[in-house]
Amino acid sequence: MTLTWTQLRDLKCGELEGAADGWGRASNRADAGRDRIEAQMLNGLRSTQHGEAANAAVGRLRQLSSNLQYVYTECGLLRTTLNSMAHELRAQQRALRDALDDADSLKLTVHVDGSVTYPAAGEALIDGRPLPGGTASADAAPGLLPSAGLVAPNPNAAKAQDIADRVAKAVRTAAEIDWRYARILRRLKAEEGLKVPDATWTDAAGDAAAVRGAARGYLKDGIPLDASPAERKAWWAALTDEQREEYLAVYPDQIGNLDGIPALVRDAANRDNLQLLMGKLEGRDDAKSETQLAGLREIDRQLREGPKPGEPPMYLLGIGDQGNGRAIVSFGNPDTARNVSAYVPGLNTSLDEGFAKDDLKRARDTAIGTRIHDSSSAAIVWLGYDAPQSPDGMGSLDVMGDERAEKGGRAFNGFMSGLSATNENRDPHLTAIGHSYGSRTVGAATQQGGGIPGVDDIVLVGSPGVGVDRAEGLGVGKDHVFVGAAEHDVVTKLPSKQQSAAGVVGLIAAGSVAAYVAGDIADQGDDDLWFGKDPASESFGARRFQVDEGPRLVSGEGISFDAHSHYFDPRRDPVSANNIALVAAGRSSKLKMEEYR
């Protein structure tokens, strides 16, 4: 049926908004049910019940929680679709009303078909009689309307044509809006059955993309992407509950990764976006998608299992599939904790299963260790940049450059600025931790825009240099820069570019370790590393704390780079792990110190 201007005029957009409210209430009920299962029922079962029956009950509750999460997502999409549709149609109603009001003031008559009749007016050039009236239609081609009075047209003709064009445009645009949203509403339907398999989340990811495409500027234009974290925090606080719910339903990827948004909100948004991302990647057979999907599934598994007794809860502060993948996970709430540390991983880190197991464990171990010294603590692993990748573990020319560190440093500063804005303590203690190439990224962050926002202490472990030659150049004072360097960690002994660039490139390209054993790659008593002065050297001026020497590169058991990865592990290197925790807890006076190299 063709839409007419009278139908557009009489359309009750409030009924669409009322239906949207109904879907919103259904979405909220599903979300509340999911929260009750996760926070109360599952935790209670895991802590008090054991055995096959308990395990079966946990499995069924997890399935129900997943189902409710899907209901929450789809109902939220329906609400936003209807609200966005009403929003756009109201705009066309206003355009139509303005045209009709102008027609009334000009004494023009708008007919049901959209044509506009205008009265006689003006004077003919020959006999001076009033020029006859007529009818303007939006279908008439511009410049082809007949001219009355030989040369001079009726002055009402142009006004009538403008009214006819405006009425037609409003109706035509409204019809396009109706068609666009009808397509979306037809696809927003669930499959029959009580389970929500992976394929259903793939459909949900497509649904979310479709709603974003249809809604266009309804919500997205309001997101303050170019604002400061403090301004974003204020923006979120000023929204109504209904507006927040819509943003979380349609743009969990934007809200969940927006620095300055409270941690609880980011966590809720990212948990939903995690499901949509897994649905998006499900079924793809390219290596990147398969790798990232494995990482996402492991993060999802840990979130669903929840913390073990004595462990802090997980908060998902960022997730994405761009580049090598993005993931930011906090153990403990960084908005309420007095002590917050953020660890930046380095070479070969990407969103994969290894990251989800190993790097998350490092942050978890740091959080547990820090809470021994101060219970109000949280520890974060921040994969918010593309760390250099090496197919053979020691050989990538990317790691020899600064570009990724510079880009990562800018992103890390934005994140830390967000932590400073959302933390509820008057003067929180923030620590930046850089491991491997991540220490170079932390170093780059200190050189941009006055240093890393809010950071009091910096910890560098397994560092090939940070881009500056003195600890005081990192902006927190040399007494607040702490370094751990294992004796057998090859990364902490790479020579400077000036000393052996050609040799290092050749050896790395060949994947050789024999030269290291012979002393060709290792720094021969010099304190210059690839990215500047050795942070463990006296000339750098940081405070070097004790760490285990680590396994040798070559032993009877073969080749091992494990000395580069034990710093955070309380089992393999308890002294180093505790020293890192002491700094993160603001208890650096209790560190066990080591002599400079």
Side-chain angles (χ1 to χ4, degrees):
M1 183 179 71
T2 302
L3 182 68
T4 66
W5 68 261
T6 56
Q7 291 173 322
L8 175 59
R9 179 196 62 190
D10 299 335
L11 179 66
K12 294 180 174 58
C13 290
E15 293 183 356
L16 289 173
E17 293 166 334
D21 290 342
W23 286 109
R25 288 190 293 272
S27 179
N28 291 339
R29 284 195 292 269
D31 192 39
R34 180 186 59 173
D35 284 345
R36 183 181 178 191
I37 290 172
E38 297 288 341
Q40 300 178 26
M41 301 176 72
L42 278 174
N43 286 340
L45 264 176
R46 281 192 290 252
S47 61
T48 62
Q49 304 295 319
H50 304 281
E52 292 185 8
N55 291 338
V58 167
R60 287 194 292 271
L61 284 173
R62 284 179 178 165
Q63 180 64 61
L64 180 58
S65 176
S66 178
N67 292 358
L68 289 173
Q69 186 169 20
Y70 174 73
V71 172
Y72 162 78
T73 298
E74 290 292 291
C75 289
L77 292 175
L78 278 163
R79 171 182 53 193
T80 298
T81 300
L82 292 169
N83 274 335
S84 181
M85 183 179 184
H87 172 78
E88 292 192 40
L89 288 173
R90 280 188 190 280
Q92 299 313 311
Q93 280 186 316
R94 287 193 296 271
L96 173 65
R97 189 181 304 113
D98 289 344
L100 295 176
D101 289 344
D102 288 347
D104 184 63
S105 66
L106 295 169
K107 308 301 182 184
L108 306 179
T109 301
V110 182
H111 300 283
V112 175
D113 63 357
S115 60
V116 179
T117 298
Y118 54 91
E123 295 180 353
L125 294 179
I126 296 178
D127 57 15
R129 294 182 180 182
L131 300 173
T135 299
S137 171
D139 295 331
L144 298 182
L145 290 173
S147 173
L150 298 180
V151 177
N154 184 324
N156 286 324
K159 298 174 182 178
Q161 187 63 53
D162 175 66
I163 299 296
D165 290 342
R166 290 161 61 191
V167 168
K169 181 180 179 181
V171 172
R172 184 169 59 250
T173 304
E176 185 275 330
I177 292 168
D178 178 67
W179 174 83
R180 177 157 40 93
Y181 281 99
R183 292 180 60 206
I184 301 302
L185 290 170
R186 279 194 292 269
R187 71 175 290 169
L188 287 174
K189 59 182 180 180
E191 298 179 7
E192 295 183 3
L194 299 177
K195 292 187 176 182
V196 181
D198 292 340
T200 303
W201 278 111
T202 300
D203 290 340
D207 292 343
V211 171
R212 285 194 290 265
R216 295 177 181 171
Y218 168 57
L219 293 173
K220 188 174 183 180
D221 289 350
I223 301 175
L225 298 177
D226 296 328
S228 69
E231 290 169 335
R232 293 167 181 167
K233 178 186 176 184
W235 167 76
W236 184 260
L239 296 176
T240 66
D241 289 342
E242 291 75 14
Q243 288 172 324
R244 293 174 189 162
E245 290 163 3
E246 285 199 78
Y247 274 114
L248 288 171
V250 182
Y251 291 105
D253 55 330
Q254 298 276 350
I255 302 303
N257 291 284
L258 198 61
D259 298 325
I261 300 299
L264 288 175
V265 177
R266 292 181 70 162
D267 177 64
N270 284 316
R271 287 178 186 244
D272 292 330
N273 191 40
L274 175 61
Q275 303 303 316
L276 296 175
L277 280 174
M278 290 191 295
K280 173 184 173 182
L281 299 178
E282 184 69 38
R284 294 185 179 180
D285 57 3
D286 61 286
K288 176 185 173 181
S289 296
E290 291 176 349
T291 297
Q292 292 188 350
L293 183 58
L296 293 172
R297 283 175 172 167
E298 175 59 23
I299 293 173
D300 182 59
R301 183 193 68 78
Q302 294 183 38
L303 288 168
R304 290 185 181 281
E305 282 193 355
K308 296 178 181 177
E311 292 184 356
M314 287 176 64
Y315 295 84
L316 189 58
L317 303 182
I319 200 73
D321 63 344
Q322 63 268 44
N324 293 327
R326 302 287 187 267
I328 308 171
V329 179
S330 179
F331 293 91
N333 188 335
D335 288 352
T336 59
R338 286 190 302 269
N339 303 289
V340 183
S341 64
Y343 145 60
V344 182
L347 176 63
N348 286 329
T349 309
S350 63
L351 179 55
D352 56 17
E353 190 172 6
F355 166 83
K357 290 182 177 178
D358 300 335
D359 287 278
L360 263 64
K361 181 181 182 299
R362 291 175 180 176
R364 183 187 289 109
D365 287 340
T366 300
I368 294 172
T370 306
R371 287 185 168 212
I372 293 174
H373 305 290
D374 190 332
S375 60
S376 182
S377 299
I380 299 167
V381 53
W382 182 85
L383 182 60
Y385 79 122
D386 283 328
Q389 300 298 300
S390 161
D392 56 11
M394 273 296 295
S396 170
L397 296 182
D398 285 337
V399 77
M400 302 174 71
D402 299 294
E403 181 180 359
R404 296 195 180 205
E406 297 291 339
K407 290 182 179 179
R410 287 190 289 273
F412 185 62
N413 276 358
F415 175 74
M416 297 304 288
S417 180
L419 287 186
S420 298
T422 58
N423 191 280
E424 299 169 6
N425 294 278
R426 178 172 297 179
D427 186 21
H429 173 250
L430 303 185
T431 303
I433 304 174
H435 174 244
S436 186
Y437 188 87
S439 68
R440 177 67 186 93
T441 302
V442 169
T446 67
Q447 304 304 300
Q448 300 170 7
I452 307 176
V455 164
D456 302 284
D457 293 312
I458 293 175
V459 176
L460 310 168
V461 288
S463 175
V466 297
V468 300
D469 289 336
R470 297 290 183 269
E472 54 263 34
L474 297 178
V476 294
K478 66 178 184 178
D479 290 339
H480 292 272
V481 179
F482 305 89
V483 176
E487 177 62 27
H488 297 142
D489 183 354
V490 59
V491 174
T492 69
K493 295 188 175 183
L494 290 176
S496 69
K497 300 174 185 178
Q498 292 76 17
Q499 288 172 315
S500 55
V504 172
V505 170
L507 290 168
I508 286 179
S512 173
V513 296
Y516 171 75
V517 180
D520 291 338
I521 293 182
D523 189 298
Q524 298 295 305
D526 198 298
D527 59 6
D528 291 317
L529 298 184
W530 190 260
F531 290 116
K533 200 67 68 177
D534 180 359
S537 68
E538 184 174 5
S539 61
F540 188 79
R543 298 173 64 187
R544 185 184 181 192
F545 57 82
Q546 287 185 13
V547 303
D548 186 77
E549 65 180 14
R552 292 182 177 275
L553 180 66
V554 178
S555 67
E557 298 180 357
I559 298 172
S560 171
F561 295 103
D562 288 350
H564 187 56
S565 60
H566 286 179
Y567 295 101
F568 300 88
D569 195 317
R571 184 173 64 85
R572 292 185 172 90
D573 193 345
V575 174
S576 175
N578 186 57
N579 281 332
I580 292 172
L582 282 168
V583 177
R587 304 288 194 273
S588 60
S589 61
K590 298 181 179 181
L591 287 177
K592 293 183 178 180
M593 306 308 295
E594 180 70 82
E595 293 293 328
Y596 292 117
R597 282 181 173 170

PDB file of all heavy atoms in Angstrom, residues 50-73:
ATOM      1  N   HIS A  50      29.075 -30.777  45.363  1.00  0.00           N
ATOM      2  CA  HIS A  50      30.063 -31.458  44.541  1.00  0.00           C
ATOM      3  C   HIS A  50      29.471 -32.782  44.048  1.00  0.00           C
ATOM      4  O   HIS A  50      28.517 -33.309  44.629  1.00  0.00           O
ATOM      5  CB  HIS A  50      31.344 -31.713  45.344  1.00  0.00           C
ATOM      6  CG  HIS A  50      31.932 -30.463  45.932  1.00  0.00           C
ATOM      7  ND1 HIS A  50      32.669 -29.566  45.204  1.00  0.00           N
ATOM      8  CD2 HIS A  50      31.858 -29.966  47.204  1.00  0.00           C
ATOM      9  CE1 HIS A  50      33.037 -28.573  45.978  1.00  0.00           C
ATOM     10  NE2 HIS A  50      32.566 -28.789  47.209  1.00  0.00           N
ATOM     11  N   GLY A  51      30.044 -33.298  42.977  1.00  0.00           N
ATOM     12  CA  GLY A  51      29.576 -34.562  42.437  1.00  0.00           C
ATOM     13  C   GLY A  51      28.899 -34.405  41.097  1.00  0.00           C
ATOM     14  O   GLY A  51      28.754 -33.299  40.558  1.00  0.00           O
ATOM     15  N   GLU A  52      28.459 -35.535  40.534  1.00  0.00           N
ATOM     16  CA  GLU A  52      27.877 -35.538  39.193  1.00  0.00           C
ATOM     17  C   GLU A  52      26.592 -34.730  39.126  1.00  0.00           C
ATOM     18  O   GLU A  52      26.343 -34.012  38.159  1.00  0.00           O
ATOM     19  CB  GLU A  52      27.622 -36.987  38.750  1.00  0.00           C
ATOM     20  CG  GLU A  52      28.901 -37.791  38.523  1.00  0.00           C
ATOM     21  CD  GLU A  52      28.610 -39.169  37.967  1.00  0.00           C
ATOM     22  OE1 GLU A  52      27.439 -39.428  37.629  1.00  0.00           O
ATOM     23  OE2 GLU A  52      29.548 -39.977  37.858  1.00  0.00           O
ATOM     24  N   ALA A  53      25.738 -34.871  40.137  1.00  0.00           N
ATOM     25  CA  ALA A  53      24.461 -34.146  40.130  1.00  0.00           C
ATOM     26  C   ALA A  53      24.706 -32.639  40.149  1.00  0.00           C
ATOM     27  O   ALA A  53      24.046 -31.872  39.429  1.00  0.00           O
ATOM     28  CB  ALA A  53      23.605 -34.564  41.319  1.00  0.00           C
ATOM     29  N   ALA A  54      25.662 -32.220  40.984  1.00  0.00           N
ATOM     30  CA  ALA A  54      25.974 -30.788  41.052  1.00  0.00           C
ATOM     31  C   ALA A  54      26.543 -30.290  39.731  1.00  0.00           C
ATOM     32  O   ALA A  54      26.194 -29.200  39.260  1.00  0.00           O
ATOM     33  CB  ALA A  54      26.957 -30.527  42.184  1.00  0.00           C
ATOM     34  N   ASN A  55      27.426 -31.092  39.130  1.00  0.00           N
ATOM     35  CA  ASN A  55      28.001 -30.701  37.841  1.00  0.00           C
ATOM     36  C   ASN A  55      26.933 -30.594  36.763  1.00  0.00           C
ATOM     37  O   ASN A  55      26.964 -29.692  35.920  1.00  0.00           O
ATOM     38  CB  ASN A  55      29.072 -31.703  37.417  1.00  0.00           C
ATOM     39  CG  ASN A  55      30.308 -31.643  38.307  1.00  0.00           C
ATOM     40  OD1 ASN A  55      30.561 -30.635  38.967  1.00  0.00           O
ATOM     41  ND2 ASN A  55      31.072 -32.727  38.336  1.00  0.00           N
ATOM     42  N   ALA A  56      25.980 -31.520  36.782  1.00  0.00           N
ATOM     43  CA  ALA A  56      24.891 -31.480  35.806  1.00  0.00           C
ATOM     44  C   ALA A  56      24.025 -30.236  36.015  1.00  0.00           C
ATOM     45  O   ALA A  56      23.610 -29.578  35.052  1.00  0.00           O
ATOM     46  CB  ALA A  56      24.049 -32.742  35.915  1.00  0.00           C
ATOM     47  N   ALA A  57      23.766 -29.902  37.283  1.00  0.00           N
ATOM     48  CA  ALA A  57      22.969 -28.713  37.576  1.00  0.00           C
ATOM     49  C   ALA A  57      23.689 -27.448  37.125  1.00  0.00           C
ATOM     50  O   ALA A  57      23.069 -26.528  36.571  1.00  0.00           O
ATOM     51  CB  ALA A  57      22.671 -28.646  39.076  1.00  0.00           C
ATOM     52  N   VAL A  58      24.999 -27.397  37.345  1.00  0.00           N
ATOM     53  CA  VAL A  58      25.787 -26.250  36.888  1.00  0.00           C
ATOM     54  C   VAL A  58      25.705 -26.117  35.369  1.00  0.00           C
ATOM     55  O   VAL A  58      25.535 -25.021  34.834  1.00  0.00           O
ATOM     56  CB  VAL A  58      27.255 -26.386  37.343  1.00  0.00           C
ATOM     57  CG1 VAL A  58      28.142 -25.377  36.610  1.00  0.00           C
ATOM     58  CG2 VAL A  58      27.371 -26.181  38.846  1.00  0.00           C
ATOM     59  N   GLY A  59      25.795 -27.249  34.672  1.00  0.00           N
ATOM     60  CA  GLY A  59      25.697 -27.216  33.215  1.00  0.00           C
ATOM     61  C   GLY A  59      24.362 -26.685  32.732  1.00  0.00           C
ATOM     62  O   GLY A  59      24.302 -25.882  31.798  1.00  0.00           O
ATOM     63  N   ARG A  60      23.289 -27.117  33.371  1.00  0.00           N
ATOM     64  CA  ARG A  60      21.947 -26.644  32.963  1.00  0.00           C
ATOM     65  C   ARG A  60      21.772 -25.158  33.274  1.00  0.00           C
ATOM     66  O   ARG A  60      21.165 -24.418  32.489  1.00  0.00           O
ATOM     67  CB  ARG A  60      20.877 -27.477  33.666  1.00  0.00           C
ATOM     68  CG  ARG A  60      20.752 -28.904  33.110  1.00  0.00           C
ATOM     69  CD  ARG A  60      19.483 -29.578  33.587  1.00  0.00           C
ATOM     70  NE  ARG A  60      19.520 -29.842  35.025  1.00  0.00           N
ATOM     71  CZ  ARG A  60      19.999 -30.954  35.574  1.00  0.00           C
ATOM     72  NH1 ARG A  60      20.508 -31.895  34.795  1.00  0.00           N
ATOM     73  NH2 ARG A  60      19.980 -31.123  36.886  1.00  0.00           N
ATOM     74  N   LEU A  61      22.294 -24.725  34.430  1.00  0.00           N
ATOM     75  CA  LEU A  61      22.181 -23.303  34.764  1.00  0.00           C
ATOM     76  C   LEU A  61      22.990 -22.441  33.793  1.00  0.00           C
ATOM     77  O   LEU A  61      22.556 -21.342  33.423  1.00  0.00           O
ATOM     78  CB  LEU A  61      22.664 -23.064  36.196  1.00  0.00           C
ATOM     79  CG  LEU A  61      21.689 -23.490  37.301  1.00  0.00           C
ATOM     80  CD1 LEU A  61      22.343 -23.359  38.664  1.00  0.00           C
ATOM     81  CD2 LEU A  61      20.416 -22.647  37.255  1.00  0.00           C
ATOM     82  N   ARG A  62      24.141 -22.945  33.379  1.00  0.00           N
ATOM     83  CA  ARG A  62      24.925 -22.191  32.395  1.00  0.00           C
ATOM     84  C   ARG A  62      24.192 -22.081  31.071  1.00  0.00           C
ATOM     85  O   ARG A  62      24.221 -21.041  30.399  1.00  0.00           O
ATOM     86  CB  ARG A  62      26.288 -22.849  32.200  1.00  0.00           C
ATOM     87  CG  ARG A  62      27.272 -22.591  33.341  1.00  0.00           C
ATOM     88  CD  ARG A  62      28.587 -23.285  33.086  1.00  0.00           C
ATOM     89  NE  ARG A  62      29.559 -22.999  34.145  1.00  0.00           N
ATOM     90  CZ  ARG A  62      30.665 -23.687  34.337  1.00  0.00           C
ATOM     91  NH1 ARG A  62      30.962 -24.702  33.530  1.00  0.00           N
ATOM     92  NH2 ARG A  62      31.485 -23.364  35.303  1.00  0.00           N
ATOM     93  N   GLN A  63      23.528 -23.160  30.684  1.00  0.00           N
ATOM     94  CA  GLN A  63      22.748 -23.123  29.453  1.00  0.00           C
ATOM     95  C   GLN A  63      21.606 -22.121  29.565  1.00  0.00           C
ATOM     96  O   GLN A  63      21.337 -21.335  28.648  1.00  0.00           O
ATOM     97  CB  GLN A  63      22.189 -24.513  29.135  1.00  0.00           C
ATOM     98  CG  GLN A  63      21.358 -24.577  27.859  1.00  0.00           C
ATOM     99  CD  GLN A  63      22.167 -24.269  26.615  1.00  0.00           C
ATOM    100  OE1 GLN A  63      23.120 -24.959  26.309  1.00  0.00           O
ATOM    101  NE2 GLN A  63      21.796 -23.218  25.907  1.00  0.00           N
ATOM    102  N   LEU A  64      20.935 -22.124  30.729  1.00  0.00           N
ATOM    103  CA  LEU A  64      19.846 -21.168  30.941  1.00  0.00           C
ATOM    104  C   LEU A  64      20.379 -19.740  30.930  1.00  0.00           C
ATOM    105  O   LEU A  64      19.744 -18.840  30.361  1.00  0.00           O
ATOM    106  CB  LEU A  64      19.155 -21.468  32.263  1.00  0.00           C
ATOM    107  CG  LEU A  64      17.984 -20.541  32.639  1.00  0.00           C
ATOM    108  CD1 LEU A  64      16.907 -20.552  31.560  1.00  0.00           C
ATOM    109  CD2 LEU A  64      17.396 -20.957  33.991  1.00  0.00           C
ATOM    110  N   SER A  65      21.539 -19.526  31.539  1.00  0.00           N
ATOM    111  CA  SER A  65      22.134 -18.192  31.539  1.00  0.00           C
ATOM    112  C   SER A  65      22.446 -17.737  30.117  1.00  0.00           C
ATOM    113  O   SER A  65      22.195 -16.583  29.754  1.00  0.00           O
ATOM    114  CB  SER A  65      23.417 -18.199  32.385  1.00  0.00           C
ATOM    115  OG  SER A  65      24.066 -16.948  32.321  1.00  0.00           O
ATOM    116  N   SER A  66      22.979 -18.655  29.297  1.00  0.00           N
ATOM    117  CA  SER A  66      23.265 -18.324  27.907  1.00  0.00           C
ATOM    118  C   SER A  66      21.983 -17.989  27.148  1.00  0.00           C
ATOM    119  O   SER A  66      21.943 -17.045  26.346  1.00  0.00           O
ATOM    120  CB  SER A  66      23.992 -19.494  27.232  1.00  0.00           C
ATOM    121  OG  SER A  66      24.234 -19.215  25.869  1.00  0.00           O
ATOM    122  N   ASN A  67      20.938 -18.750  27.410  1.00  0.00           N
ATOM    123  CA  ASN A  67      19.661 -18.480  26.756  1.00  0.00           C
ATOM    124  C   ASN A  67      19.132 -17.095  27.130  1.00  0.00           C
ATOM    125  O   ASN A  67      18.644 -16.333  26.282  1.00  0.00           O
ATOM    126  CB  ASN A  67      18.639 -19.543  27.144  1.00  0.00           C
ATOM    127  CG  ASN A  67      18.978 -20.907  26.569  1.00  0.00           C
ATOM    128  OD1 ASN A  67      19.962 -21.059  25.855  1.00  0.00           O
ATOM    129  ND2 ASN A  67      18.173 -21.904  26.886  1.00  0.00           N
ATOM    130  N   LEU A  68      19.218 -16.771  28.422  1.00  0.00           N
ATOM    131  CA  LEU A  68      18.728 -15.467  28.872  1.00  0.00           C
ATOM    132  C   LEU A  68      19.574 -14.334  28.306  1.00  0.00           C
ATOM    133  O   LEU A  68      19.062 -13.249  28.016  1.00  0.00           O
ATOM    134  CB  LEU A  68      18.729 -15.410  30.401  1.00  0.00           C
ATOM    135  CG  LEU A  68      17.669 -16.277  31.088  1.00  0.00           C
ATOM    136  CD1 LEU A  68      17.877 -16.283  32.588  1.00  0.00           C
ATOM    137  CD2 LEU A  68      16.266 -15.786  30.754  1.00  0.00           C
ATOM    138  N   GLN A  69      20.850 -14.583  28.136  1.00  0.00           N
ATOM    139  CA  GLN A  69      21.703 -13.569  27.525  1.00  0.00           C
ATOM    140  C   GLN A  69      21.281 -13.311  26.078  1.00  0.00           C
ATOM    141  O   GLN A  69      21.258 -12.163  25.619  1.00  0.00           O
ATOM    142  CB  GLN A  69      23.167 -14.000  27.577  1.00  0.00           C
ATOM    143  CG  GLN A  69      24.133 -12.929  27.091  1.00  0.00           C
ATOM    144  CD  GLN A  69      25.581 -13.272  27.400  1.00  0.00           C
ATOM    145  OE1 GLN A  69      25.918 -14.425  27.635  1.00  0.00           O
ATOM    146  NE2 GLN A  69      26.443 -12.276  27.410  1.00  0.00           N
ATOM    147  N   TYR A  70      20.920 -14.374  25.385  1.00  0.00           N
ATOM    148  CA  TYR A  70      20.447 -14.211  24.007  1.00  0.00           C
ATOM    149  C   TYR A  70      19.110 -13.454  23.986  1.00  0.00           C
ATOM    150  O   TYR A  70      18.915 -12.558  23.151  1.00  0.00           O
ATOM    151  CB  TYR A  70      20.280 -15.591  23.368  1.00  0.00           C
ATOM    152  CG  TYR A  70      19.667 -15.554  21.985  1.00  0.00           C
ATOM    153  CD1 TYR A  70      20.401 -15.108  20.895  1.00  0.00           C
ATOM    154  CD2 TYR A  70      18.353 -15.962  21.780  1.00  0.00           C
ATOM    155  CE1 TYR A  70      19.843 -15.065  19.627  1.00  0.00           C
ATOM    156  CE2 TYR A  70      17.784 -15.925  20.513  1.00  0.00           C
ATOM    157  CZ  TYR A  70      18.529 -15.471  19.440  1.00  0.00           C
ATOM    158  OH  TYR A  70      17.970 -15.430  18.193  1.00  0.00           O
ATOM    159  N   VAL A  71      18.210 -13.786  24.909  1.00  0.00           N
ATOM    160  CA  VAL A  71      16.928 -13.073  25.001  1.00  0.00           C
ATOM    161  C   VAL A  71      17.176 -11.595  25.284  1.00  0.00           C
ATOM    162  O   VAL A  71      16.550 -10.718  24.668  1.00  0.00           O
ATOM    163  CB  VAL A  71      16.044 -13.700  26.098  1.00  0.00           C
ATOM    164  CG1 VAL A  71      14.796 -12.842  26.334  1.00  0.00           C
ATOM    165  CG2 VAL A  71      15.639 -15.113  25.715  1.00  0.00           C
ATOM    166  N   TYR A  72      18.081 -11.333  26.211  1.00  0.00           N
ATOM    167  CA  TYR A  72      18.422  -9.944  26.544  1.00  0.00           C
ATOM    168  C   TYR A  72      18.906  -9.197  25.295  1.00  0.00           C
ATOM    169  O   TYR A  72      18.477  -8.067  25.023  1.00  0.00           O
ATOM    170  CB  TYR A  72      19.495  -9.941  27.626  1.00  0.00           C
ATOM    171  CG  TYR A  72      20.238  -8.632  27.758  1.00  0.00           C
ATOM    172  CD1 TYR A  72      19.675  -7.547  28.422  1.00  0.00           C
ATOM    173  CD2 TYR A  72      21.526  -8.479  27.206  1.00  0.00           C
ATOM    174  CE1 TYR A  72      20.365  -6.349  28.536  1.00  0.00           C
ATOM    175  CE2 TYR A  72      22.218  -7.282  27.319  1.00  0.00           C
ATOM    176  CZ  TYR A  72      21.635  -6.221  27.987  1.00  0.00           C
ATOM    177  OH  TYR A  72      22.309  -5.032  28.090  1.00  0.00           O
ATOM    178  N   THR A  73      19.786  -9.821  24.532  1.00  0.00           N
ATOM    179  CA  THR A  73      20.354  -9.171  23.349  1.00  0.00           C
ATOM    180  C   THR A  73      19.291  -8.911  22.286  1.00  0.00           C
ATOM    181  O   THR A  73      19.161  -7.801  21.765  1.00  0.00           O
ATOM    182  CB  THR A  73      21.489 -10.030  22.764  1.00  0.00           C
ATOM    183  OG1 THR A  73      22.534 -10.160  23.737  1.00  0.00           O
ATOM    184  CG2 THR A  73      22.054  -9.407  21.492  1.00  0.00           C
TER     185      THR A  73
END
